[in-house]
Amino acid sequence: MEDIIVVEDLRKIYNKDILAVDGISFSVHRGEVFGFLGPNGAGKSTTIKILTTLLEKTSGRATIDGLDIDKDQAAVRRIIGYSSQEVGVDDDLTARENLLLQCSFHHIPKEKAIQRVEQLLETVKLQEAADRRLKTFSGGMRKRLDLASSLVSDPKVLILDEPTTGLDPQSRQDIWEYIAELNRQGMTIFLTTQYMEEADRLSDRLCIVDQGKIVAEGTPLELKARIGADIITLSVRSDDPEACETASTVIAKMEGVKEVGLCSVGISGDKGLTVMAHNGSAIIPQLVRLLDGIGVQIDQLTLSGPTLDEVFLKLTGRALNVVERKGAVKGRGWGKRGKRP
Amino acid sequence: MMMEWVSETAAIFRRWNTKLVRQPIFIFFSLIQPLVWFLLFTQAFSAIGDIPNFKQLTGTASYVTFFTAAVVIQTITSSALAAGLGLVNDLESGFMDKMRVAPINKSAILFGKLFSDAITIVVQVVIILLIGVAIGVEIASGLFGVFMILILSAAFGMAWSGISLFVGLTTKSDQTTLSVGLLTTFPLLFLSAAVMPLGLLPAWVQEVAKVNPFTYVAQAFQSLIIEGFVWDKIGNALIAISIIAAISLTASILVFRRKIR
């Protein structure tokens, strides 16, 4: 597949000693959604600012649609749309005015601009609020408008820096739908996120970044398959106190099973087993038959896939979601470099 | 290229004007401030007009008439020193990034803002002159003189805005931008011929006033109000304004280039 963004050994050093981006290389295929997943301070925004030509790189090379981000700066700006983490909209203007202003920055003739704005307002469902000033807008509405404003020029590549950070679940859902729809229409999308779910749901391929480096790259499925395994949790109904142990020995011998552990299941603390297997759904029928054969009755059985959360944890030894798990990561050097411009 | 620059600058110019009109507080203050100045100074210091040499030095016995120039200057500078605030705000809100990623000329961002500041100042000066006329100030140079005053005001305003833009872009702090503005404007105003004619100032203040650009701008305004067109005074004002503009605008363009890619 053809690459639209190519980044080679990109490096950014702030103030001579803060290494924000440490020699990363990756490429984005034309027409895909490419995710950059990592915690605060991983170098995501810095990478985005370099790609959008807002920040000068220290070394390395990057091209978008064959255009060098330094040498062809102006041309790059014509083919990208960018929505920043800060939401760059003007609160004193109305939604429509904001979009029209953005149109004039892209030299879209007036009549075409009016049409385009109407169309964009419809896309992000802001027609009714179109002539209200942004002061009265919710966070989700502002973000939707910001997304619309990055689309006025119908860019080849849309670059989104944490598109849903700080949004409520409904707004997040909306933004995800727009992103998916834009991608269906053929737009290449590069986005950063610190949410596993977002990266998993939206991206065709993704990089996991941590402390300025790419620690893993692949499709969400690949990444999950590489590091994690499916987990089958089952509880057994038996008067025999040895039933679990017996079952565990039998299961451990099955093909495709990585690991079997004893555990207690549910609130009642019933005896149960945790089975880790490469392909969980495929071995379930066999597993059920096997247990049936030795007279162990299954009470409950659940299958869960590995999550990117686990992937990140395994790769870096740390949990990803800083906001939700602040207590757990305190004192481990998190965010000591602070938030970067 | 040129056409693009014009349309970009115009778009940014319109944006600032819209923003301004939508800030009722600003409009209120831009009316109230000159009124307060007129009232405070002319009521408290009306006796200045009776100082024996005053009429001889200024050409008028009315302190209000003389003082009109000072109100104009004070309004221009306080308006101009707020210019950098808008850009600081844009830097913080992410709007600057949004503009930069769009394929527009960097200078359009600065000049759109400067022209908007200039038009604001022109409107404010018109209001001051109207208030002045209402309380008895006669403008000797007539309508053309008023026109000249407005041109000088716009030019002086843009030149002075440059300082605020420079401080704003350098420090990226609205507090600092405001303080620097206030700290430079007030001493310069009182150490010039704007509030008192040169001849009535203490000797050391006179020395300072002679190198203070405010003096030349004030004298041009005073002559247009009191005497009519005195071209060498207008010329001096233009020279003073050009020097400030050359320094402040060059500095802000340079820092803008360096800070904003």
Side-chain angles (χ1 to χ4, degrees), chain A residues 49 52-56 70 73 77-78 80 82 86-90 92-94 97 101-102 104-107 133 146 149-150, chain B residues 4-5 7-8 11-12 14-15 18-20 22-23 90 92-104 106 259-261:
Chain A
K49 291 238 151 97
T52 51
T53 75
L54 288 169
L55 194 67
E56 207 168 351
D70 285 330
Q73 195 194 55
R77 286 175 177 176
R78 265 189 280 274
I80 60 170
Y82 167 57
E86 294 93 358
V87 190
V89 287
D90 191 326
D92 291 326
L93 304 181
T94 67
E97 286 166 343
L101 185 62
Q102 214 61 45
S104 58
F105 290 164
H106 286 272
H107 307 107
R133 286 186 218 167
D146 187 44
S149 78
S150 61
Chain B
E4 284 196 347
W5 186 85
S7 78
E8 288 157 7
I12 289 161
R14 278 196 304 272
R15 168 187 174 228
T18 311
K19 281 168 78 73
L20 195 72
R22 289 187 185 164
Q23 287 167 354
D90 273 1
E92 278 169 3
S93 74
F95 198 83
M96 184 67 83
D97 280 353
K98 201 92 192 181
M99 285 193 280
R100 296 304 303 128
V101 172
I104 60 174
K106 221 183 295 188
K259 295 243 170 182
I260 318 284
R261 214 167 109 89

Side-chain angles (χ1 to χ4, degrees), chain A residues 137-164:
Chain A
F137 274 34
S138 68
M141 290 166 83
R142 296 173 83 246
K143 192 69 214 180
R144 266 144 65 198
L145 179 69
D146 187 44
L147 188 62
S149 78
S150 61
L151 294 169
V152 294
S153 61
D154 197 14
K156 280 189 185 172
V157 181
L158 182 62
I159 299 178
L160 307 171
D161 195 4
E162 302 202 5
T164 67

